[in-house]
Amino acid sequence: TQRELRHPALPQITPENEAYWTGGALGELRVRRCQDCRYWVDGTSPLCPSCWGRNIVPEATSGRGTIHTYTRTYNTNYESFGA
């Protein structure tokens, strides 16, 4: 029998992460950035860890950068990823 195709689990889209997950449709990587101190904010915290401001909005990145490291997953425990 032919093995049933499995699709990876898709992330749940929330107001906090919507710009990140949907920016790709426009060819953009969008990351939240504090508009007061210009610090890039990782995650969904409502506060900037640099200046404690709340003026954080999604912003498209420049597309330039350096990859310092990466990981490759060979074994997962999630059936949706083919485990």
Side-chain angles (χ1 to χ4, degrees), residues 10-61:
L10 297 175
Q12 181 178 1
I13 305 297
T14 66
E16 292 82 13
N17 69 21
E18 181 178 17
Y20 177 83
W21 290 112
T22 60
L26 300 172
E28 297 177 343
L29 172 60
R30 296 180 186 167
V31 179
R32 297 169 68 240
R33 192 171 199 183
C34 178
Q35 300 301 293
D36 297 328
C37 71
R38 306 300 292 159
Y39 187 85
W40 294 102
V41 179
D42 186 25
T44 59
S45 172
L47 298 175
C48 172
S50 178
C51 73
W52 299 100
R54 292 183 177 269
N55 190 12
I56 301 170
V57 298
E59 189 173 306
T61 61

Side-chain angles (χ1 to χ4, degrees), residues 51-80:
C51 73
W52 299 100
R54 292 183 177 269
N55 190 12
I56 301 170
V57 298
E59 189 173 306
T61 61
S62 69
R64 293 174 285 131
T66 302
I67 297 174
H68 293 278
T69 188
Y70 66 94
T71 62
R72 188 180 289 180
T73 303
Y74 293 100
N75 188 6
T76 67
N77 294 323
Y78 298 103
E79 184 175 314
S80 62

